Amino acid sequence: GESVGLHLPTLSVQEGDNSIINCAYSNSASDYFIWYKQESGKGPQFIIDIRSNMDKRQGQRVTVLLNKTVKHLSLQIAATQPGDSAVYFCAETRGGYNKLIFGAGTRLAVHP
Amino acid sequence: DAGVTQSPTHLIKTRGQQVTLRCSPKSGHDTVSWYQQALGQGPQFIFQYYEEEERQRGNFPDRFSGHQFPNYSSELNVNALLLGDSALYLCASSSGPGSAGEYFGPGTRLLVL
């Protein structure tokens, strides 16, 4: 079946440390993998995406790694800040349309 | 440049009633998707509209229906509301089916009593 899941439901880090949020997916036919950040009371906010034919992509303070061999996706946040505290979702899309399949989410808590 | 907007922000209904939620896509976007997000869970895809037609549909009953207007705005209708329909309803827009990275609105919080 279709599923995009996460290894850890919560992650607590110290301000300034690097954060790594992990995600496992089950369908090898996905076209894109996308990370979203959702703050309380808001809709998901696009962070970064990666095409299925890539294994790494970098943005501002964020890096997404894709390991298709083990169907694993990770989001690395450098120098984590209090404003990074939120729930993070990985999602996948396939089939030429941008229907997103989300996992349950990981809550990131950044402590001063 | 306004992003995706949704109305209303909050809504309370009783079982059996009908509800209509509204969405205006981000400027330049022509594709609108609707998602249901239960508390503590990830969003679940309901359906997607492009060129005023439903292009894809998730695993939701026929009680959930929608519409897209010529100006690309969209409505989500839910009939015969159940308690389990209580959720955050998210609208997302993009520039055509197949483009990655949908932009989400703030959502409409629906509570069914």
Side-chain angles (χ1 to χ4, degrees), chain A residues 40-103:
Chain A
S40 181
K42 297 183 179 180
Q45 177 187 0
F46 175 89
I47 301 173
I48 190 169
D49 64 3
I50 185 168
R51 293 182 67 105
S52 59
N53 62 355
M54 300 171 64
D55 53 20
K56 180 179 180 179
R57 189 171 186 209
Q58 288 184 295
Q60 187 177 12
R61 282 201 308 120
V62 295
T63 300
V64 57
L65 299 177
L66 176 62
N67 185 331
K68 293 180 284 295
T69 302
V70 295
K71 298 182 182 176
H72 183 268
L73 186 72
S74 68
L75 176 70
Q76 301 178 1
I77 304 174
T80 312
Q81 302 168 0
D84 295 327
S85 293
V87 176
Y88 288 80
F89 294 97
C90 64
E92 60 179 309
T93 179
R94 67 179 81 113
Y97 291 89
N98 42 357
K99 164 188 173 181
L100 294 167
I101 301 167
F102 284 84

Side-chain angles (χ1 to χ4, degrees), chain A residues 36 38 96-100, chain B residues 35 37 48 56 94 98-99 102:
Chain A
Y36 284 90
Q38 187 173 25
Y97 291 89
N98 42 357
K99 164 188 173 181
L100 294 167
Chain B
Y35 292 80
Q37 186 176 24
Q48 180 185 84
Q56 285 195 99
S94 60
S99 60
E102 293 196 311

Side-chain angles (χ1 to χ4, degrees), chain B residues 54-105:
Chain B
E54 183 182 293
R55 289 305 186 100
Q56 285 195 99
R57 189 178 183 91
N59 188 26
F60 280 81
D62 292 344
R63 298 187 297 110
F64 289 77
S65 64
H67 187 77
Q68 186 178 35
F69 299 94
N71 67 352
Y72 309 121
S73 67
S74 177
E75 288 183 348
L76 164 66
N77 301 292
V78 187
N79 295 323
L81 285 167
L82 303 174
L83 296 180
D85 294 332
S86 296
L88 180 68
Y89 287 85
L90 295 162
C91 172
S93 73
S94 60
S95 55
S99 60
E102 293 196 311
Y103 291 81
F104 283 84

